[in-house]
Amino acid sequence: MTALEPPRIVLADANVLYSRVLRDYLLYAADEEVISVTWSPEILREMTEHLVENVAGFTHESGERLVTAMNRAFPYAETTPSDEARAAVAEAAIPDEDDRHVLAAAVAAEATVLCTSNVRDFPEEVTTPLGVHVMTPDALLARLVRQFPTTMHRVHATSVARLRGASDDSTIAALGRAGAPRTAALVCELVQARSTSTSRPPP
């Protein structure tokens, strides 16, 4: 896969949506229409369960509000795998049976990309015949930054603006901590280039 050509339908796995900064970048990129994002009810349940288990102060009510906000912002994003989609992956040789529903959701959504932190759980010999390309969030976001630098600078700026107390530096650092160091480095270059161009005196 040399480029993300339309339609860039990205199924986001729970381990990606779990991260506030990765989730923000994906959703704001979708808002800018450089990708279309999709998920399933089961993926959202997994995301919520892990947030409740691991994030202090995050409750089931917090999860309900987050899911409602996501589905309201992207009313066509949620995909429930059909019987046909489940049947299409029923015999797929994947390492973890618990991930079969994710693959079924990707097939049901006609996703071209499955964005997950656990790429080893989705072997290429299984996903390629299904027309699904598996990418880490770092690989996907880094590619989007390279392909759409101006748009992705806006995505970054929105991410900073909508998180109380955030700054360019703190958001870039959060990307690195979330397992997206290449994206963090590229966004840092974008921010520095924009800062240099805006501070340069007029001719």
Side-chain angles (χ1 to χ4, degrees), residues 21-179:
V21 68
L22 296 179
R23 184 172 68 243
D24 281 355
Y25 270 71
L26 281 179
L27 297 189
Y28 297 147
D31 201 40
E32 291 281 355
E33 299 183 349
V34 295
I35 59 171
S36 294
V37 69
T38 185
W39 46 70
S40 70
E42 196 164 352
I43 286 172
L44 294 179
R45 280 195 295 273
E46 279 192 14
M47 173 196 73
T48 300
E49 288 171 3
H50 292 143
L51 286 167
V52 171
E53 289 173 5
N54 299 309
V55 177
F58 194 97
T59 65
H60 287 288
E61 290 74 19
S62 304
E64 289 175 4
R65 288 193 295 270
L66 174 59
V67 167
T68 297
M70 289 169 64
N71 282 327
R72 182 177 295 141
F74 300 96
Y76 303 107
E78 187 169 279
T79 300
T80 299
S82 62
D83 291 341
E84 290 80 4
R86 293 187 185 278
V89 303
E91 303 299 324
I94 58 176
D96 190 345
E97 184 63 30
D98 289 342
D99 289 320
R100 197 171 299 279
H101 74 91
V102 179
L103 194 56
V107 170
E110 299 182 351
T112 51
V113 174
L114 195 171
C115 185
T116 179
S117 298
N118 297 329
V119 294
R120 292 181 182 178
D121 289 344
F122 301 95
E124 187 175 334
E125 60 269 24
V126 171
T127 59
T128 298
L130 297 171
V132 178
H133 185 71
V134 181
M135 301 181 77
T136 66
D138 195 22
L140 174 61
L141 291 172
R143 179 171 289 181
L144 292 177
V145 172
R146 292 189 185 101
Q147 286 186 293
F148 310 102
T150 300
T151 302
M152 292 304 291
H153 184 271
R154 287 199 301 270
V155 166
H156 167 74
T158 302
S159 299
V160 174
R162 294 188 180 176
L163 180 59
R164 183 179 301 174
S167 65
D168 286 329
D169 289 344
S170 69
T171 303
I172 291 168
L175 278 171
R177 290 194 301 272

